């Protein structure tokens, strides 16, 4: 099992001063429909990550010093990225269960 965080736990973390990276791996066209606005957000489309590998990772993720919460639309692509990051040696990485869809339904419908 891969480590996960619920959308309600993510919401609590977003309301805190906790240091973390929220890595959104959706494609840019998807961001028009729903998006979390937060200074800890990093957008890295899966297509770019698949093409460039670790070189595509933002510096905030490469440092491996703070938690990384990976999200997508429903949680499938983010689960793949979470698994890949774990295979790359990341210890503090979590899939956002249910993705932005679940976040919109349970936390913030705007």
């Amino acid at each position: 099992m891969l480590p996960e965080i619920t959308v309600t736990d993510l919401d609590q973390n977003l309301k805190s001063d906790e240091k973390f990276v929220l890595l959104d791996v959706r494609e840019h066209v998807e961001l028009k429909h729903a998006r979390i606005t937060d200074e800890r957000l990093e957008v890295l489309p899966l297509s770019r990550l698949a093409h460039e590998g670790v070189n595509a990772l933002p510096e905030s993720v490469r440092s491996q010093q703070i938690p990384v919460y990976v999200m997508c639309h429903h949680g499938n692509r983010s689960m793949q990225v979470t698994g890949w990051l774990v295979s790359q040696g990341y210890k503090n990485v979590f899939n956002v269960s249910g993705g932005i869809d679940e976040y919109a339904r349970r936390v913030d419908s705007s």
Side-chain angles (χ1 to χ4, degrees), residues 25-57:
V25 297
R26 292 178 297 151
E27 299 301 316
H28 288 290
V29 68
E30 295 176 89
L31 301 176
K32 296 179 207 174
H33 303 289
R35 182 179 191 156
I36 294 175
T37 304
D38 190 273
E39 64 189 22
R40 295 165 285 196
L41 176 73
E42 295 275 3
V43 176
L44 176 59
L46 182 57
S47 60
R48 180 172 171 220
L49 183 59
H51 185 261
E52 298 177 31
V54 293
N55 294 328
L57 292 172

Side-chain angles (χ1 to χ4, degrees), residues 12-89:
Q12 291 303 309
N13 291 347
L14 287 165
K15 292 175 181 172
S16 76
D17 291 332
E18 179 185 347
K19 293 183 189 286
F20 63 86
V21 175
L22 177 58
L23 186 65
D24 192 331
V25 297
R26 292 178 297 151
E27 299 301 316
H28 288 290
V29 68
E30 295 176 89
L31 301 176
K32 296 179 207 174
H33 303 289
R35 182 179 191 156
I36 294 175
T37 304
D38 190 273
E39 64 189 22
R40 295 165 285 196
L41 176 73
E42 295 275 3
V43 176
L44 176 59
L46 182 57
S47 60
R48 180 172 171 220
L49 183 59
H51 185 261
E52 298 177 31
V54 293
N55 294 328
L57 292 172
E59 187 58 40
S60 57
V61 174
R62 286 187 202 183
S63 71
Q64 297 189 28
Q65 299 300 310
I66 59 176
V68 177
Y69 305 131
V70 186
M71 74 178 308
C72 65
H73 188 175
H74 290 290
N76 296 321
R77 288 172 286 177
S78 58
M79 190 180 313
Q80 292 174 343
V81 172
T82 300
W84 179 75
L85 288 169
V86 167
S87 76
Q88 298 298 306

